[in-house]
Coordinates of all heavy atoms in Angstrom, one line a residue:
M1 N 157.3 68.8 77.1 CA 156.0 68.9 77.7 C 155.5 70.4 77.7 O 156.3 71.2 78.0 CB 156.0 68.3 79.1 CG 154.6 68.2 79.7 SD 154.6 67.3 81.3 CE 155.0 65.7 80.8
E2 N 154.3 70.6 77.3 CA 153.8 71.9 77.2 C 153.7 72.6 78.6 O 153.5 71.9 79.6 CB 152.4 71.9 76.6 CG 152.4 71.5 75.1 CD 151.0 71.5 74.5 OE1 150.2 72.4 74.9 OE2 150.8 70.6 73.7
E3 N 153.8 73.9 78.6 CA 153.8 74.7 79.9 C 152.5 74.5 80.6 O 152.6 74.3 81.9 CB 154.1 76.1 79.6 CG 154.3 76.9 80.8 CD 154.6 78.4 80.5 OE1 155.3 78.6 79.6 OE2 154.2 79.2 81.3
W4 N 151.4 74.5 80.0 CA 150.1 74.3 80.7 C 150.0 73.0 81.4 O 149.4 72.9 82.4 CB 148.9 74.6 79.8 CG 148.7 73.6 78.7 CD1 149.2 73.7 77.4 CD2 148.1 72.3 78.7 NE1 149.0 72.6 76.7 CE2 148.2 71.8 77.5 CE3 147.5 71.7 79.7 CZ2 147.7 70.5 77.2 CZ3 147.0 70.4 79.5 CH2 147.1 69.8 78.2
S5 N 150.5 72.0 80.8 CA 150.5 70.6 81.4 C 151.3 70.5 82.6 O 151.0 70.0 83.6 CB 150.9 69.5 80.4 OG 152.2 69.6 80.0
M6 N 152.5 71.2 82.7 CA 153.3 71.3 83.8 C 152.6 72.1 84.9 O 152.7 71.8 86.1 CB 154.7 71.9 83.5 CG 155.6 71.1 82.7 SD 155.9 69.5 83.4 CE 156.8 69.9 84.8
E7 N 151.8 73.1 84.5 CA 151.1 73.9 85.5 C 150.0 73.0 86.1 O 149.8 73.1 87.3 CB 150.5 75.1 84.8 CG 151.5 76.2 84.5 CD 150.9 77.3 83.7 OE1 149.7 77.4 83.5 OE2 151.7 78.2 83.4
M8 N 149.3 72.2 85.3 CA 148.3 71.3 85.8 C 148.8 70.2 86.7 O 148.3 70.0 87.8 CB 147.5 70.7 84.7 CG 146.3 69.9 85.3 SD 145.3 69.0 84.0 CE 144.4 70.4 83.4
L9 N 150.0 69.7 86.4 CA 150.7 68.7 87.2 C 151.1 69.4 88.6 O 150.9 68.7 89.7 CB 151.9 68.1 86.6 CG 151.7 67.2 85.4 CD1 153.0 66.8 84.7 CD2 151.0 65.9 85.9
S10 N 151.5 70.6 88.6 CA 151.9 71.3 89.8 C 150.7 71.6 90.6 O 150.7 71.4 91.9 CB 152.6 72.6 89.5 OG 153.8 72.4 88.7
L11 N 149.6 71.9 90.0 CA 148.3 72.2 90.7 C 147.8 70.9 91.3 O 147.4 70.9 92.5 CB 147.3 72.8 89.8 CG 145.9 73.1 90.3 CD1 146.0 74.1 91.4 CD2 144.9 73.6 89.3
I12 N 147.9 69.8 90.6 CA 147.4 68.5 91.1 C 148.2 68.1 92.4 O 147.7 67.7 93.4 CB 147.5 67.4 90.1 CG1 146.4 67.7 89.0 CG2 147.3 66.0 90.7 CD1 146.5 66.8 87.8
L13 N 149.5 68.3 92.3 CA 150.4 67.9 93.4 C 150.1 68.9 94.6 O 150.0 68.4 95.8 CB 151.9 68.1 93.0 CG 152.9 67.7 94.0 CD1 152.7 66.3 94.5 CD2 154.3 67.9 93.5
A14 N 149.9 70.2 94.3 CA 149.7 71.1 95.4 C 148.4 70.8 96.1 O 148.2 70.8 97.3 CB 149.7 72.5 94.9
L15 N 147.3 70.6 95.3 CA 146.0 70.3 95.9 C 146.0 69.0 96.6 O 145.3 68.8 97.6 CB 145.0 70.3 94.8 CG 144.7 71.7 94.2 CD1 143.7 71.5 93.0 CD2 144.1 72.6 95.2
S16 N 146.7 68.0 96.2 CA 146.9 66.7 96.9 C 147.5 66.9 98.3 O 147.1 66.4 99.3 CB 147.7 65.8 96.1 OG 147.8 64.5 96.8
A17 N 148.5 67.7 98.3 CA 149.2 68.0 99.6 C 148.3 68.7 100.5 O 148.2 68.4 101.7 CB 150.5 68.9 99.3
V18 N 147.5 69.7 100.0 CA 146.6 70.4 100.8 C 145.5 69.5 101.4 O 145.1 69.6 102.5 CB 146.0 71.6 100.1 CG1 144.8 72.2 100.8 CG2 147.1 72.7 99.8
L19 N 144.9 68.7 100.5 CA 143.9 67.7 100.8 C 144.3 66.8 102.0 O 143.7 66.7 103.0 CB 143.5 66.8 99.6 CG 142.5 65.7 99.9 CD1 141.2 66.2 100.4 CD2 142.4 64.8 98.7
W20 N 145.6 66.2 101.8 CA 146.0 65.3 102.9 C 146.5 66.0 104.1 O 146.4 65.4 105.2 CB 147.1 64.4 102.3 CG 146.4 63.3 101.5 CD1 146.2 63.2 100.2 CD2 145.7 62.2 102.1 NE1 145.4 62.2 99.9 CE2 145.1 61.5 101.0 CE3 145.5 61.7 103.4 CZ2 144.3 60.4 101.2 CZ3 144.8 60.6 103.6 CH2 144.2 59.9 102.5
F21 N 146.9 67.3 104.0 CA 147.2 68.0 105.3 C 145.9 68.2 106.1 O 145.8 68.0 107.3 CB 147.7 69.4 104.9 CG 147.9 70.3 106.0 CD1 149.0 70.2 106.9 CD2 147.0 71.3 106.3 CE1 149.2 71.0 108.0 CE2 147.2 72.2 107.4 CZ 148.2 72.0 108.2
L22 N 144.8 68.6 105.3 CA 143.5 68.8 106.0 C 143.0 67.4 106.6 O 142.4 67.4 107.7 CB 142.5 69.4 105.1 CG 142.8 70.8 104.7 CD1 141.8 71.3 103.6 CD2 142.7 71.7 105.9
V23 N 143.1 66.3 105.8 CA 142.6 65.1 106.3 C 143.4 64.7 107.6 O 142.8 64.2 108.6 CB 142.7 63.9 105.2 CG1 142.5 62.5 105.8 CG2 141.8 64.2 104.1
D24 N 144.7 64.9 107.6 CA 145.5 64.5 108.7 C 145.2 65.4 109.9 O 145.3 64.9 111.0 CB 147.0 64.6 108.4 CG 147.5 63.5 107.5 OD1 146.8 62.4 107.5 OD2 148.5 63.6 106.9
R25 N 144.8 66.6 109.7 CA 144.4 67.5 110.8 C 143.1 67.1 111.5 O 142.9 67.2 112.6 CB 144.2 68.9 110.3 CG 145.5 69.6 110.0 CD 146.2 69.9 111.3 NE 147.5 70.4 111.0 CZ 148.6 70.4 111.8 NH1 148.4 69.9 113.0 NH2 149.7 70.9 111.4
F26 N 142.2 66.6 110.7 CA 140.8 66.2 111.2 C 140.8 64.8 111.6 O 139.8 64.3 112.3 CB 139.7 66.5 110.2 CG 139.4 68.0 110.1 CD1 139.9 68.7 109.0 CD2 138.8 68.6 111.1 CE1 139.7 70.0 108.8 CE2 138.5 70.0 110.9 CZ 138.9 70.7 109.8
K27 N 141.8 63.9 111.2 CA 141.8 62.5 111.5 C 141.6 62.1 113.0 O 141.0 61.2 113.3 CB 143.1 61.9 110.9 CG 143.0 60.5 110.7 CD 144.3 60.0 110.0 CE 144.3 58.7 109.5 NZ 145.5 58.3 108.8
P28 N 142.2 62.9 113.9 CA 142.1 62.5 115.3 C 140.6 62.5 115.8 O 140.3 61.9 116.8 CB 142.8 63.6 116.1 CG 143.9 64.1 115.1 CD 143.2 64.0 113.8
L29 N 139.7 63.2 115.1 CA 138.3 63.2 115.5 C 137.7 61.8 115.4 O 136.8 61.5 116.2 CB 137.5 64.2 114.6 CG 137.9 65.6 114.8 CD1 137.1 66.5 113.8 CD2 137.6 66.2 116.2
W30 N 138.1 61.0 114.4 CA 137.5 59.7 114.3 C 138.5 58.6 114.3 O 138.2 57.4 114.1 CB 136.8 59.6 112.9 CG 137.6 59.9 111.7 CD1 138.5 59.0 111.1 CD2 137.8 61.1 111.0 NE1 139.1 59.5 110.1 CE2 138.7 60.9 109.9 CE3 137.2 62.3 111.1 CZ2 139.1 61.8 109.0 CZ3 137.6 63.3 110.1 CH2 138.5 63.0 109.1
E31 N 139.8 58.9 114.6 CA 140.8 57.9 114.6 C 140.6 56.7 115.6 O 140.9 55.6 115.3 CB 142.1 58.5 114.9 CG 143.4 57.8 114.6 CD 144.6 58.6 114.6 OE1 144.7 59.4 115.6 OE2 145.5 58.4 113.8
G32 N 140.0 57.0 116.7 CA 139.8 56.0 117.7 C 138.6 55.1 117.5 O 138.5 54.1 118.2
L33 N 137.8 55.3 116.5 CA 136.6 54.5 116.2 C 137.1 53.3 115.5 O 138.1 53.2 114.7 CB 135.7 55.3 115.4 CG 135.1 56.6 115.9 CD1 134.3 57.4 114.9 CD2 134.3 56.3 117.2
S34 N 136.3 52.2 115.6 CA 136.6 50.9 115.0 C 136.6 51.0 113.4 O 137.2 50.3 112.8 CB 135.7 49.8 115.5 OG 134.4 50.1 115.1
F35 N 135.8 51.9 112.9 CA 135.6 52.1 111.5 C 136.3 53.4 111.0 O 135.9 54.0 110.0 CB 134.2 52.0 111.0 CG 133.3 52.9 111.9 CD1 133.1 54.3 111.5 CD2 132.7 52.5 113.1 CE1 132.3 55.1 112.2 CE2 131.9 53.3 113.8 CZ 131.7 54.6 113.4
G36 N 137.3 53.9 111.8 CA 137.9 55.2 111.5 C 138.6 55.2 110.1 O 138.6 56.2 109.4
K37 N 139.2 54.1 109.7 CA 139.9 54.1 108.4 C 138.9 54.3 107.3 O 139.2 54.8 106.2 CB 140.7 52.8 108.2 CG 139.9 51.5 108.1 CD 140.8 50.3 107.9 CE 140.0 49.1 107.9 NZ 140.9 47.9 107.7
Y38 N 137.7 53.8 107.4 CA 136.7 54.0 106.4 C 136.2 55.5 106.3 O 135.9 56.0 105.3 CB 135.5 53.1 106.6 CG 135.9 51.6 106.6 CD1 135.9 50.9 107.7 CD2 136.3 51.1 105.4 CE1 136.3 49.5 107.7 CE2 136.7 49.7 105.3 CZ 136.7 49.0 106.5 OH 137.1 47.7 106.4
I39 N 136.2 56.1 107.5 CA 135.8 57.5 107.5 C 136.9 58.3 106.8 O 136.6 59.3 106.0 CB 135.6 58.0 109.0 CG1 134.4 57.3 109.6 CG2 135.4 59.5 109.0 CD1 134.2 57.7 111.0
T40 N 138.2 58.0 107.1 CA 139.3 58.6 106.4 C 139.2 58.5 104.9 O 139.3 59.4 104.1 CB 140.7 58.1 106.9 OG1 140.7 58.2 108.3 CG2 141.8 58.8 106.2
L41 N 138.9 57.2 104.5 CA 138.7 56.9 103.0 C 137.5 57.8 102.4 O 137.7 58.3 101.3 CB 138.5 55.5 102.8 CG 138.3 54.9 101.4 CD1 139.7 55.1 100.7 CD2 137.9 53.5 101.4
L42 N 136.4 57.9 103.1 CA 135.3 58.6 102.7 C 135.6 60.1 102.6 O 135.3 60.8 101.5 CB 134.1 58.4 103.6 CG 132.8 59.1 103.2 CD1 132.3 58.5 101.9 CD2 131.8 58.9 104.3
V43 N 136.2 60.7 103.6 CA 136.6 62.1 103.6 C 137.6 62.4 102.5 O 137.5 63.4 101.8 CB 137.1 62.5 105.0 CG1 137.8 63.9 104.9 CG2 136.1 62.5 106.0
A44 N 138.6 61.5 102.3 CA 139.6 61.7 101.2 C 138.9 61.6 99.9 O 139.2 62.4 99.0 CB 140.7 60.7 101.4
G45 N 138.0 60.7 99.7 CA 137.3 60.5 98.4 C 136.4 61.8 98.1 O 136.5 62.3 97.0
I46 N 135.7 62.2 99.1 CA 134.8 63.4 98.8 C 135.7 64.6 98.5 O 135.4 65.3 97.6 CB 133.9 63.7 100.1 CG1 132.9 62.5 100.2 CG2 133.3 65.1 99.9 CD1 132.1 62.6 101.5
G47 N 136.7 64.8 99.3 CA 137.7 65.9 99.1 C 138.3 65.8 97.7 O 138.4 66.9 97.0
A48 N 138.8 64.6 97.3 CA 139.5 64.5 96.1 C 138.6 64.8 94.9 O 139.0 65.5 94.0 CB 140.1 63.1 96.0
F49 N 137.4 64.2 94.9 CA 136.5 64.4 93.7 C 136.0 65.8 93.7 O 135.7 66.3 92.6 CB 135.5 63.3 93.7 CG 136.0 62.0 93.2 CD1 136.4 61.0 94.0 CD2 136.1 61.8 91.8 CE1 136.9 59.8 93.6 CE2 136.6 60.6 91.3 CZ 137.0 59.6 92.2
A50 N 135.8 66.4 94.9 CA 135.3 67.8 94.9 C 136.5 68.7 94.3 O 136.2 69.6 93.4 CB 135.1 68.3 96.3
L51 N 137.7 68.4 94.5 CA 138.8 69.2 93.9 C 138.9 69.0 92.4 O 139.1 69.9 91.6 CB 140.1 68.9 94.6 CG 140.3 69.4 96.0 CD1 141.6 68.8 96.6 CD2 140.4 70.9 96.0
V52 N 138.8 67.7 92.0 CA 138.9 67.3 90.6 C 137.8 68.0 89.8 O 138.1 68.6 88.7 CB 138.8 65.8 90.4 CG1 138.6 65.4 89.0 CG2 140.1 65.1 90.9
F53 N 136.6 68.0 90.3 CA 135.6 68.5 89.4 C 135.4 70.0 89.6 O 135.0 70.7 88.7 CB 134.2 67.8 89.7 CG 134.2 66.4 89.1 CD1 134.4 65.4 89.9 CD2 134.0 66.3 87.7 CE1 134.4 64.1 89.3 CE2 133.9 65.0 87.2 CZ 134.1 63.9 88.0
S54 N 135.9 70.6 90.7 CA 135.9 72.1 90.9 C 137.0 72.7 90.0 O 136.8 73.8 89.4 CB 136.2 72.4 92.3 OG 135.2 72.0 93.1
F55 N 138.2 72.1 89.9 CA 139.3 72.7 89.2 C 139.5 72.1 87.8 O 140.5 72.4 87.1 CB 140.6 72.5 90.0 CG 140.7 73.4 91.2 CD1 140.3 73.0 92.5 CD2 141.1 74.7 91.1 CE1 140.3 73.8 93.6 CE2 141.2 75.5 92.2 CZ 140.8 75.1 93.4
N56 N 138.6 71.1 87.4 CA 138.6 70.5 86.1 C 140.0 69.8 85.9 O 140.7 70.0 84.9 CB 138.3 71.5 85.0 CG 137.9 70.8 83.7 OD1 137.4 69.7 83.7 ND2 138.1 71.5 82.6
L57 N 140.4 69.0 86.8 CA 141.7 68.4 86.8 C 141.7 67.1 86.0 O 140.7 66.3 86.2 CB 142.3 68.1 88.2 CG 142.4 69.3 89.1 CD1 142.8 68.9 90.5 CD2 143.4 70.3 88.6
D58 N 142.7 66.8 85.2 CA 142.8 65.6 84.5 C 144.2 65.2 84.4 O 145.0 65.8 83.6 CB 142.1 65.7 83.1 CG 142.0 64.4 82.3 OD1 142.8 63.5 82.6 OD2 141.2 64.4 81.4
L59 N 144.7 64.2 85.1 CA 146.1 63.8 85.1 C 146.5 63.2 83.8 O 147.6 63.4 83.4 CB 146.3 62.8 86.3 CG 147.7 62.4 86.5 CD1 148.5 63.5 87.0 CD2 147.7 61.3 87.7
I60 N 145.6 62.5 83.1 CA 145.9 61.9 81.8 C 146.1 63.0 80.8 O 147.0 62.9 80.0 CB 144.8 60.9 81.4 CG1 144.8 59.8 82.4 CG2 145.0 60.4 80.0 CD1 143.6 58.8 82.2
L61 N 145.3 64.1 80.8 CA 145.5 65.2 79.9 C 146.8 65.9 80.3 O 147.6 66.3 79.4 CB 144.3 66.2 80.0 CG 144.4 67.5 79.3 CD1 144.4 67.2 77.8 CD2 143.4 68.4 79.7
A62 N 147.1 66.1 81.6 CA 148.3 66.8 82.0 C 149.5 66.0 81.5 O 150.6 66.6 81.3 CB 148.3 67.0 83.4
C63 N 149.5 64.7 81.5 CA 150.6 63.9 81.0 C 150.8 63.9 79.5 O 151.7 63.4 78.9 CB 150.5 62.5 81.5 SG 150.6 62.3 83.2
G64 N 149.8 64.5 78.8 CA 149.8 64.6 77.3 C 149.4 63.4 76.6 O 149.8 63.2 75.4
L65 N 148.7 62.5 77.2 CA 148.2 61.3 76.6 C 147.0 61.4 75.8 O 146.7 60.6 75.0 CB 148.1 60.2 77.7 CG 149.4 59.9 78.5 CD1 149.1 58.9 79.6 CD2 150.4 59.4 77.5
V66 N 146.2 62.5 76.1 CA 144.9 62.7 75.3 C 144.9 64.2 75.0 O 145.6 65.0 75.5 CB 143.7 62.3 76.2 CG1 143.6 60.9 76.4 CG2 143.6 63.1 77.5
E67 N 144.0 64.5 74.1 CA 143.9 65.9 73.5 C 142.9 66.8 74.4 O 143.1 68.0 74.4 CB 143.4 65.9 72.1 CG 144.3 65.2 71.2 CD 145.4 66.0 70.7 OE1 145.2 67.2 70.6 OE2 146.5 65.5 70.5
A68 N 142.0 66.2 75.1 CA 141.0 66.9 75.8 C 140.6 66.3 77.1 O 140.9 65.0 77.3 CB 139.7 67.1 75.0
T69 N 140.1 67.0 78.0 CA 139.7 66.5 79.3 C 138.5 65.4 79.1 O 137.6 65.6 78.4 CB 139.1 67.6 80.3 OG1 140.1 68.6 80.4 CG2 138.7 67.1 81.6
T70 N 138.7 64.3 79.9 CA 137.7 63.3 79.8 C 137.1 62.9 81.2 O 137.8 63.2 82.2 CB 138.2 61.9 79.1 OG1 139.3 61.5 80.0 CG2 138.8 62.2 77.7
I71 N 136.0 62.3 81.3 CA 135.4 61.9 82.5 C 136.3 60.8 83.1 O 136.6 60.8 84.3 CB 134.0 61.3 82.4 CG1 133.1 62.5 82.0 CG2 133.5 60.7 83.7 CD1 132.9 63.6 83.0
A72 N 136.8 59.9 82.3 CA 137.7 58.8 82.8 C 139.0 59.4 83.4 O 139.5 58.9 84.4 CB 138.0 57.8 81.7
G73 N 139.5 60.4 82.8 CA 140.7 61.1 83.2 C 140.4 61.8 84.6 O 141.3 61.7 85.5
K74 N 139.3 62.4 84.7 CA 138.9 63.0 86.0 C 138.7 61.9 87.1 O 139.1 62.2 88.2 CB 137.6 63.8 85.8 CG 137.8 65.1 85.0 CD 136.5 65.8 84.9 CE 136.7 67.1 84.2 NZ 135.4 67.9 84.1
I75 N 138.1 60.9 86.8 CA 137.9 59.8 87.7 C 139.3 59.2 88.2 O 139.5 59.0 89.4 CB 137.0 58.7 87.2 CG1 135.6 59.2 87.0 CG2 137.1 57.4 88.1 CD1 134.6 58.3 86.3
M76 N 140.2 59.0 87.2 CA 141.5 58.5 87.5 C 142.3 59.5 88.4 O 142.9 59.1 89.4 CB 142.3 58.2 86.2 CG 141.9 57.1 85.4 SD 142.2 55.5 86.2 CE 144.0 55.5 86.0
T77 N 142.1 60.8 88.1 CA 142.8 61.8 88.9 C 142.2 61.8 90.3 O 143.0 62.0 91.3 CB 142.6 63.2 88.2 OG1 143.1 63.1 86.9 CG2 143.3 64.3 89.0
G78 N 140.9 61.7 90.4 CA 140.3 61.6 91.8 C 140.8 60.5 92.6 O 141.1 60.6 93.8
L79 N 141.0 59.3 92.0 CA 141.4 58.1 92.6 C 142.9 58.3 93.1 O 143.3 57.9 94.2 CB 141.3 56.9 91.8 CG 139.9 56.5 91.5 CD1 139.8 55.3 90.5 CD2 139.2 56.0 92.8
V80 N 143.7 59.0 92.2 CA 145.1 59.2 92.6 C 145.2 60.2 93.7 O 146.0 60.0 94.7 CB 145.9 59.7 91.3 CG1 147.2 60.3 91.7 CG2 146.0 58.6 90.3
L81 N 144.3 61.2 93.7 CA 144.3 62.2 94.8 C 143.9 61.5 96.1 O 144.4 61.9 97.2 CB 143.4 63.4 94.5 CG 143.9 64.4 93.5 CD1 142.8 65.4 93.3 CD2 145.1 65.1 94.0
M82 N 143.0 60.6 96.0 CA 142.5 59.9 97.2 C 143.7 59.1 97.8 O 143.7 58.9 99.0 CB 141.4 58.9 96.8 CG 140.0 59.4 96.9 SD 138.8 58.2 96.5 CE 139.0 57.0 97.7
S83 N 144.6 58.6 97.0 CA 145.6 57.7 97.5 C 146.7 58.5 98.2 O 147.5 57.9 98.9 CB 146.2 56.9 96.3 OG 146.9 57.7 95.4
G84 N 146.8 59.8 98.0 CA 147.8 60.6 98.7 C 148.7 61.3 97.9 O 148.9 61.0 96.7
S85 N 149.4 62.3 98.5 CA 150.2 63.1 97.7 C 151.5 62.4 97.3 O 152.1 62.8 96.2 CB 150.6 64.4 98.5 OG 151.2 64.0 99.7
S86 N 151.9 61.4 97.9 CA 153.1 60.7 97.5 C 152.9 60.0 96.2 O 153.8 59.9 95.4 CB 153.6 59.7 98.6 OG 152.6 58.7 98.8
A87 N 151.7 59.5 96.0 CA 151.4 58.8 94.7 C 151.4 59.8 93.6 O 152.0 59.5 92.5 CB 150.0 58.2 94.8
V88 N 150.9 61.0 93.8 CA 150.9 62.1 92.8 C 152.4 62.5 92.5 O 152.8 62.6 91.3 CB 150.1 63.3 93.2 CG1 150.2 64.4 92.2 CG2 148.6 62.9 93.4
A89 N 153.2 62.6 93.5 CA 154.6 63.0 93.3 C 155.4 62.0 92.5 O 156.1 62.3 91.6 CB 155.3 63.2 94.7
E90 N 155.1 60.7 92.8 CA 155.8 59.6 92.0 C 155.4 59.6 90.5 O 156.2 59.5 89.6 CB 155.4 58.2 92.6 CG 156.0 57.9 93.9 CD 155.6 56.6 94.5 OE1 155.3 55.7 93.7 OE2 155.7 56.4 95.7
I91 N 154.1 59.9 90.3 CA 153.6 59.9 88.9 C 154.3 61.1 88.2 O 154.8 61.0 87.0 CB 152.1 60.0 88.8 CG1 151.5 58.7 89.2 CG2 151.7 60.4 87.4 CD1 150.0 58.8 89.4
I92 N 154.4 62.3 88.8 CA 154.9 63.4 88.2 C 156.4 63.2 88.0 O 157.0 63.6 86.9 CB 154.6 64.7 89.0 CG1 153.2 65.0 89.0 CG2 155.5 65.8 88.6 CD1 152.8 66.1 89.9
E93 N 157.1 62.6 88.9 CA 158.6 62.3 88.7 C 158.8 61.4 87.5 O 159.7 61.6 86.7 CB 159.2 61.7 89.9 CG 159.4 62.7 91.0 CD 160.0 62.0 92.3 OE1 160.6 60.9 92.1 OE2 159.9 62.6 93.3
R94 N 157.9 60.4 87.3 CA 158.1 59.4 86.2 C 157.8 60.1 84.9 O 158.4 59.8 83.9 CB 157.2 58.3 86.4 CG 157.7 57.3 87.5 CD 156.8 56.1 87.7 NE 157.1 55.5 89.0 CZ 157.8 54.4 89.0 NH1 158.2 53.7 88.0 NH2 158.0 53.9 90.2
V95 N 156.8 61.0 84.8 CA 156.5 61.7 83.7 C 157.6 62.7 83.2 O 158.0 62.8 82.1 CB 155.1 62.6 83.8 CG1 155.0 63.6 82.7 CG2 154.0 61.6 83.9
K96 N 158.2 63.3 84.2 CA 159.4 64.2 84.0 C 160.6 63.4 83.6 O 161.6 64.0 83.0 CB 159.7 65.0 85.2 CG 158.6 66.2 85.4 CD 159.1 67.0 86.6 CE 158.1 68.1 86.9 NZ 158.5 68.8 88.1
G97 N 160.6 62.1 83.9 CA 161.7 61.3 83.5 C 162.9 61.3 84.5 O 164.0 61.0 84.1
K98 N 162.6 61.6 85.7 CA 163.6 61.7 86.8 C 163.8 60.4 87.4 O 162.9 59.7 87.6 CB 163.3 62.8 87.8 CG 163.4 64.2 87.2 CD 163.2 65.2 88.2 CE 163.3 66.6 87.6 NZ 163.1 67.6 88.5

């Protein structure tokens, strides 16, 4: 695997961890509300897609499956970031073959 793709995978994992650290810190503000889980989902979605498009992240490109960044790859990366850092860690472990 190329060095730049490992760097992108590391960046995706690091940003996912930071995103979910921040979401967990602010979660007590809305946790008691009846629709609190939807607020968490919305905040995670906004944060994830902001990171993806700010840093031009593409998990499919980082895995070496395509030659260039695509909108579909960015959307997939945003959805994976929304799901949490554990999902990103599992994908990276499988790509590395561990």
Side-chain angles (χ1 to χ4, degrees):
M1 189 174 288
E2 295 181 32
E3 186 175 326
W4 64 266
S5 64
M6 291 303 293
E7 289 174 3
M8 185 180 286
L9 288 172
S10 298
L11 180 61
I12 291 169
L13 183 59
L15 290 174
S16 178
V18 169
L19 172 67
W20 281 97
F21 174 79
L22 292 173
V23 169
D24 285 340
R25 287 289 173 201
F26 288 105
K27 201 176 193 178
L29 295 174
W30 61 78
E31 196 170 39
L33 301 172
S34 62
F35 49 90
K37 65 180 178 179
Y38 299 110
I39 295 174
T40 301
L41 183 66
L42 181 65
V43 169
I46 290 170
F49 283 98
L51 290 172
V52 166
F53 287 101
S54 295
F55 288 95
N56 200 27
L57 302 174
D58 188 339
L59 188 58
I60 297 173
L61 173 68
C63 291
L65 300 175
V66 294
E67 299 278 328
T69 302
T70 62
I71 293 295
K74 288 181 179 183
I75 292 170
M76 292 287 291
T77 306
L79 293 173
V80 169
L81 284 177
M82 272 179 65
S83 68
S85 58
S86 62
V88 176
E90 287 179 26
I91 290 171
I92 290 173
E93 283 180 20
R94 289 179 194 256
V95 168
K96 287 182 180 178
K98 293 185 179 179

